[in-house]
Amino acid sequence: MNDMQDMLRAMKLDSWEELFKDIPKEARKDGINIPSMDEYELFRYAKKLADKNKDFFQMPNFLGAGVYFHFIPPAVLSLASRSEFYTSYTPYQAEISQGMLQVLFEYQSLIAELTGMDVANSSMYDASTSLGEAARMANRINRRREILVPENLHWEKESVLKNYIAGLGMKVKKYPLNERSMVDLDGLSSMITKDTAAVYAENPNFFGIIDENVVHLREIVGDSILIVGVNPISLGVLKPPGEYGADIVIGEGQILGNPISFGGPLLGIFATKMKYVRKMPGRLIGMTKDAEGRRAFTMTLQTREQHIRRGKATSNICSNEALCALMSTLYLAYLGSNGLRKVAKKNMENAKKLMHMLKSEGFDAPHFDAPHFNEFLLDLPKNPHLVNKALIAKGVQGGYPINEGCFRGIGHAMLLCTTEIHEDEDMRRLVEALKEVL
């Protein structure tokens, strides 16, 4: 007890209640009540508890909003589990890490080709931190202190962005979308000033809409930095941002061969133009020759504060998601360009099929009259959290809840997502469950 009191005193707290006050009381547990048992009995007990979880095939789900369930070919998991990749996570010693270094080099090459950019780093933590780093990079390039983001930017991504740029004194301003939830070019143009460091746009955007206006952004952002956020699988069918003038491309790479795993780990994609490579955060793996003239791979650039003067560092985070990048490299290499295009088309076809099934039953979907990739908004007559709870009782996990007032002109709604793994029966189960609970 004295130790506990000493710890509380060191934290300048009066009680344990004060220490845990941020955790809702209903989420707290007073220990785990496991009766005394031997090892095998404990195994059976734990298995019984674990069996309460429902996977996609027991309970089809339609969640997306940043983390997506795609089919991962067994070859990806098999190759990623090879022992060569276990021990070389941090490839500081090139002489013993050629396997991982080559994989990261291949990853960078694939991402650069996919996004249409000159160079990509060997990954960031996730899409949100990639956006934060992109905003800081824009500030390093032009020393301006304002970033313009779409009004429907996911609130969690916005929170991460604000945390990343708070120390720089940068501000976030939201620009309007038009009636189809695409960039309002006139509205955005009127907001760009000499203080605008960067303009951020997403394609597809948070509502799953393929934004036809992003290809015109270069014409109006002037000398501000244009940052584009992508769903990398959508690039199997959509024009890469490098072809319409993006300076930085970011995205969530989890969907490229990584499981959802209760929401992580994730993989931040980050690519840019060669002229900005020395302003880019993260590490860059390069190809060179060793002392005997053989092809070799090495860490070429990593400008974090532990390697160079702090004031010159581009980021204090210069690690990367090496295992996730490995999985993505294997996934992209396995699918090839034709395979990726096929997956992208199947995603779009399934979303369109679900919209048609919902509309034929009288539901209002999609909310916006616009082309969609694999997500769309379904309007609801009541709170989406309550609807989801009722759907789960029917054996279906619904979409991502969008609360009334979150975005202009949208009431209660949920963001439904389909990928290539959804079959007609899964969609019928959702539609039938919605008919019963609404």
Side-chain angles (χ1 to χ4, degrees):
M1 183 58 74
N2 288 337
D3 287 344
M4 292 182 181
Q5 290 171 346
D6 288 344
M7 285 189 284
L8 287 173
R9 195 176 303 113
M11 291 184 285
K12 299 181 179 177
L13 298 174
D14 296 325
S15 65
W16 289 104
E17 176 61 30
E18 191 176 355
L19 178 61
F20 295 114
K21 67 181 180 182
D22 292 331
I23 302 175
K25 287 186 178 178
E26 61 271 21
R28 300 182 200 173
K29 295 287 183 185
D30 187 16
I32 302 175
N33 185 24
I34 299 178
S36 175
M37 60 185 78
D38 63 28
E39 188 172 359
Y40 179 68
E41 290 172 334
L42 179 62
F43 168 77
R44 293 293 298 262
Y45 179 79
K47 186 176 184 308
K48 190 176 177 181
L49 290 179
D51 286 346
K52 291 182 179 179
N53 289 321
K54 304 293 182 187
D55 64 24
F56 174 87
F57 303 102
Q58 297 166 303
M59 178 183 282
N61 84 64
F62 295 83
L63 284 170
V67 178
Y68 304 90
F69 188 25
H70 290 276
F71 174 66
I72 302 172
V76 172
L77 299 170
S78 176
L79 291 170
S81 64
R82 286 181 64 91
S83 60
E84 294 94 320
F85 300 124
Y86 284 169
T87 57
S88 49
Y89 165 69
T90 303
Y92 291 118
Q93 291 178 268
E95 64 274 24
I96 62 170
S97 304
Q98 283 299 295
M100 180 54 79
L101 285 167
Q102 180 171 353
V103 164
L104 293 176
F105 180 83
E106 301 289 357
Y107 165 83
Q108 295 168 180
S109 304
L110 288 164
I111 296 301
E113 184 175 351
L114 192 61
T115 56
M117 303 302 285
D118 299 327
V119 58
N121 70 18
S122 58
S123 75
M124 310 300 292
Y125 291 151
D126 54 31
S128 297
T129 54
S130 288
L131 174 57
E133 293 284 4
R136 295 181 65 89
M137 178 171 157
N139 173 263
R140 285 194 293 276
I141 292 170
N142 57 31
R143 296 300 174 188
R144 300 174 189 169
R145 296 179 183 275
E146 193 172 278
I147 178 170
L148 304 181
V149 302
E151 62 175 322
N152 70 341
L153 182 66
H154 191 299
W155 49 90
E156 291 176 358
K157 194 177 284 183
E158 181 183 344
S159 175
V160 173
L161 171 63
K162 286 179 176 177
N163 278 324
Y164 261 67
I165 63 178
L168 296 175
M170 290 183 73
K171 293 181 180 177
V172 176
K173 287 189 176 178
K174 293 188 175 181
Y175 61 82
L177 304 179
N178 64 21
E179 69 282 359
R180 302 179 75 199
S181 196
M182 297 182 187
V183 177
D184 179 339
L185 294 173
D186 290 335
L188 171 61
S189 180
S190 67
M191 294 178 66
I192 296 173
T193 69
K194 59 181 177 53
D195 296 322
T196 305
V199 172
Y200 175 63
E202 295 181 332
N203 191 36
N205 67 24
F206 180 48
F207 296 153
I209 290 166
I210 298 172
D211 193 329
E212 298 164 352
N213 288 341
V214 294
V215 297
H216 303 298
L217 288 178
R218 186 73 269 169
E219 301 161 20
I220 64 172
V221 300
D223 59 357
S224 300
I225 298 298
L226 175 58
I227 306 168
V228 178
V230 297
N231 173 327
I233 285 184
S234 75
L235 296 178
V237 291
L238 301 181
K239 182 183 286 191
E243 291 188 13
Y244 50 86
D247 296 299
I248 301 172
V249 179
I250 66 160
E252 179 51 63
Q254 170 269 326
I255 62 175
L256 301 174
N258 289 277
I260 49 179
S261 299
F262 296 98
L266 304 177
L267 171 69
I269 286 173
F270 198 105
T272 189
K273 295 177 176 175
M274 185 57 76
K275 66 179 180 180
Y276 298 133
V277 68
R278 289 193 173 277
K279 302 289 185 183
M280 183 174 66
R283 58 175 50 152
L284 193 65
I285 308 302
M287 185 168 67
T288 183
K289 291 182 178 179
D290 66 11
E292 298 177 358
R294 298 173 300 186
R295 186 185 72 169
F297 298 91
T298 186
M299 203 178 296
T300 302
L301 187 68
Q302 62 167 351
T303 50
R304 67 173 159 177
E305 57 195 24
Q306 75 184 66
H307 294 102
I308 62 176
R309 282 186 298 161
R310 186 172 187 177
K312 297 289 184 182
T314 57
S315 171
N316 68 333
I317 298 173
C318 201
S319 184
N320 67 292
E321 298 280 0
L323 179 59
C324 295
L326 164 66
M327 301 272 281
S328 293
T329 305
L330 296 171
Y331 179 84
L332 287 170
Y334 185 86
L335 260 63
S337 56
N338 287 334
L340 190 67
R341 189 176 303 113
K342 188 176 175 183
V343 172
K345 288 176 69 175
K346 187 64 177 174
N347 275 245
M348 293 182 71
E349 288 170 1
N350 277 348
K352 197 170 182 180
K353 187 180 290 183
L354 180 56
M355 287 180 212
H356 178 74
M357 292 170 71
L358 288 164
K359 287 186 79 169
S360 65
E361 294 292 342
F363 291 102
D364 189 8
H367 179 91
F368 292 105
D369 178 20
H372 292 72
F373 182 57
N374 65 352
E375 291 175 284
F376 61 91
L377 283 176
L378 168 68
D379 289 318
L380 298 171
K382 57 185 179 182
N383 187 303
H385 294 279
L386 297 177
V387 175
N388 260 340
K389 196 171 180 179
L391 286 175
I392 289 172
K394 298 289 182 185
V396 180
Q397 171 66 63
Y400 191 78
I402 306 294
N403 284 331
E404 188 173 14
C406 282
F407 299 103
R408 177 170 53 97
I410 297 177
H412 290 310
M414 65 169 52
L415 185 66
L416 290 170
C417 171
T418 60
T419 69
E420 74 282 2
I421 64 170
H422 289 87
E423 296 185 342
D424 291 1
E425 176 56 27
D426 302 319
M427 296 185 243
R428 272 195 291 271
R429 283 180 65 178
L430 172 67
V431 175
E432 289 303 317
L434 280 168
K435 285 165 60 180
E436 292 178 26
V437 304
L438 292 179

